[in-house]
Amino acid sequence: MESSNQARERRKYPRISLDLPLEYRATSAPNVRGALVINASETGLLVHSIKEMPVGMKLKIVVMFPEEFQLDNFEVLAEVVWKDIQWKEDWEGYQLGLKFINLLEEDHLKLKQLLADGHEIW
């Protein structure tokens, strides 16, 4: 069994653990919903949601960062690339892999810096 450090080293884009609110809406729907960001990389997010979404669905998302990380909330177009049902003691929902489709360069640079610093936001 490999340690988590060895698994992390194999990734092209390292991930950091997060615990941040996320607002999203399907590009074809007006309703805004909420989810929770679990981890992030330069190319996407792992989120928990109570709403099921099909793989391939395009989402307009807003990630809300705390002020001390100097990364304002940013909006991005993302796509659901995988999903899994998630059961925990006090929660049922879905774990979703989101891939960034369109992220402003300014936000991308700030996100890269946050990831490079290795911050864990709880």
Side-chain angles (χ1 to χ4, degrees), residues 29-121:
N31 298 340
V32 175
R33 300 187 183 274
L36 183 64
V37 178
I38 303 303
N39 70 39
S41 76
E42 284 186 45
T43 59
L45 304 171
L46 173 64
V47 301
H48 282 175
S49 173
I50 58 171
K51 176 88 171 129
E52 181 178 13
M53 291 172 260
V55 170
M57 178 179 254
K58 307 279 192 296
L59 304 171
K60 290 184 180 179
I61 62 174
V62 177
V63 178
M64 293 167 266
F65 285 88
E67 288 181 25
E68 64 265 21
F69 289 95
Q70 300 177 3
L71 182 60
D72 294 333
N73 302 344
F74 69 89
E75 295 185 38
V76 62
L77 183 62
E79 179 180 359
V80 177
V81 293
W82 63 268
K83 70 177 179 179
D84 195 13
I85 296 173
Q86 196 71 23
W87 286 286
K88 294 189 178 185
E89 284 183 29
D90 58 348
W91 187 80
E92 284 184 31
Y94 298 88
Q95 186 167 275
L96 305 163
L98 303 182
K99 177 178 77 171
F100 298 139
I101 296 173
N102 186 9
L103 178 62
L104 293 176
E105 184 62 25
E106 177 183 326
D107 289 334
H108 185 228
L109 291 173
K110 290 178 183 177
L111 181 60
K112 282 175 66 170
Q113 183 62 48
L114 179 75
L115 295 167
D117 290 346
H119 291 294
E120 290 198 8
I121 304 171

Side-chain angles (χ1 to χ4, degrees), residues 8-24:
R8 196 173 295 148
E9 289 172 9
R10 286 194 322 232
R11 292 184 183 270
K12 184 175 180 179
Y13 297 101
R15 296 187 165 272
I16 62 167
S17 295
L18 301 172
D19 186 5
L20 296 172
L22 168 89
E23 289 184 346
Y24 70 89

